[in-house]
Amino acid sequence: MAHIIVVGNEKGGAGKSTVSMHVATALARMGHRISALDLDLRQRTFGRYTENRANFLQKSGLALASPKAHPLPEIAPETLKPGENIYDHRLSAAVAELEPDNDFILIDCPGSHTRLSQVAHSLADTLITPLNDSFVDFDLLARTDASGEEILGPSVYSEMVWNARQLRAQAGLTPIDWVVVRNRTGAQRMVNKEKMERAIKNLSKRIGFRVAPGFSERVVFRELFPRGLTLLDLKDIGVKQLNISNVAARQELRDLMKALELPGVSVDF
């Protein structure tokens, strides 16, 4: 059975597609068989990322390891029973088709609450939630008091993950390994950063997730997207000397992949 990785967060701009592409490409480059699904049927940022990669590699004559992106299969409405949701069947059909031939299936969710996203979370063996280092983003996980110090209760996204966990438990599946990835953390010790660290640490104990380091804000990510490339591809396209920022970004990816603790994965880049 393929290990299913879901990258989800109900807020846009948290870096989901960047994390998805780098995790998926890292797994592919390490020799793992990985396919991917983009559930944002409108924006399709991850889907366009993989299309850009395929086009660039074809024009450049390069053969770089890549995740295989797949569209959701169409389901004939007349095949549904009363009360069944067509999106449930589209996602389950896609996963059933991909599971036998892959080590991993990565599912990139939209930055909003949709039926597809809700179902995907219940399929997750590993759930990655990128989170900007801001209490605006933290509010999706939990409500806090005015000082940001006291947690008042779980918020909408945490409640959805809780529901997904209950569905998995009822089905006799293994618990979700939930990993919150802190993106765009500042280099300096600022008051907001320290408050966020305390709040996330406290919340992780209450609702059961692990915390992993993510990516800093770097121009290189925006530059790589049009060609569908990742940090791991730079030397393959002729970059002989990585600058300090690129070296640091590769180390961030290495740290993230180690922190995810995916089964059978030995980080060797």
Side-chain angles (χ1 to χ4, degrees):
M1 298 290 287
H3 187 89
I4 298 178
I5 305 168
V6 174
V7 181
N9 181 336
E10 291 185 11
K11 184 179 182 300
K16 288 188 298 297
S17 295
T18 298
V19 168
S20 293
M21 191 62 181
H22 278 78
V23 168
T25 303
L27 290 171
R29 290 183 64 104
M30 288 188 285
H32 298 282
R33 299 171 301 167
I34 176 165
S35 288
L37 300 168
D38 186 351
L39 300 190
D40 192 338
L41 304 181
R42 180 173 175 83
Q43 291 190 353
R44 294 187 64 254
T45 303
F46 180 76
R48 286 189 289 112
Y49 209 138
T50 56
E51 289 169 3
N52 292 346
R53 184 178 183 85
N55 292 335
F56 176 78
L57 295 182
Q58 183 180 19
K59 291 179 180 178
S60 304
L62 296 173
L64 302 182
S66 305
K68 297 179 181 178
H70 301 264
L72 291 180
E74 296 294 337
I75 301 294
E78 60 271 16
T79 64
L80 299 178
K81 298 178 182 178
E84 288 186 330
N85 189 291
I86 194 168
Y87 290 110
D88 295 7
H89 283 261
R90 292 184 70 186
L91 183 54
S92 61
V95 170
E97 181 180 349
L98 297 175
E99 272 192 319
D101 301 319
N102 287 279
D103 303 313
F104 296 93
I105 299 172
L106 186 141
I107 303 176
D108 187 43
C109 293
S112 59
H113 181 82
T114 66
R115 175 70 182 187
L116 271 174
S117 180
Q118 186 177 6
V119 174
H121 279 67
S122 68
L123 299 176
D125 296 306
T126 297
L127 171 60
I128 304 173
T129 300
L131 190 75
N132 288 332
D133 208 45
S134 162
F135 277 100
V136 175
D137 282 35
F138 185 82
D139 190 62
L140 281 173
L141 298 180
R143 296 174 288 107
T144 65
D145 65 358
S147 68
E149 298 285 351
E150 182 181 352
I151 295 172
L152 303 179
S155 196
V156 289
Y157 183 73
S158 295
E159 291 173 351
M160 185 178 75
V161 176
W162 172 255
N163 290 333
R165 282 174 159 167
Q166 288 184 312
L167 288 174
R168 286 182 68 86
Q170 292 168 6
L173 300 174
T174 56
I176 297 172
D177 182 19
W178 187 10
V179 184
V180 172
V181 174
R182 295 184 64 193
N183 277 339
R184 300 188 176 96
T185 54
Q188 298 178 339
R189 301 293 302 183
M190 296 180 290
V191 173
N192 178 76
K193 181 180 178 181
E194 293 176 350
K195 282 186 176 181
M196 279 288 295
E197 286 178 354
R198 289 194 295 270
I200 289 178
K201 183 178 180 180
N202 291 337
L203 186 62
S204 68
K205 296 176 181 177
R206 288 183 57 174
I207 63 177
F209 59 76
R210 299 190 292 117
V211 182
F215 297 131
S216 301
E217 180 67 47
R218 300 183 192 277
V219 176
V220 66
F221 293 120
R222 294 190 289 272
E223 294 176 340
L224 292 171
F225 174 78
R227 292 173 290 173
L229 298 175
T230 69
L231 295 165
L232 300 178
D233 304 314
L234 295 178
K235 290 186 177 180
D236 294 306
I237 62 170
V239 179
K240 296 180 180 177
Q241 186 67 42
L242 301 181
N243 61 38
I244 294 176
S245 178
N246 292 345
V247 171
R250 279 177 63 97
Q251 184 60 49
E252 288 174 350
L253 176 57
R254 189 179 296 113
D255 292 342
L256 171 59
M257 293 301 297
K258 289 180 178 179
L260 292 178
E261 300 176 2
L262 297 171
V265 174
S266 177
V267 180
D268 56 2
F269 60 84

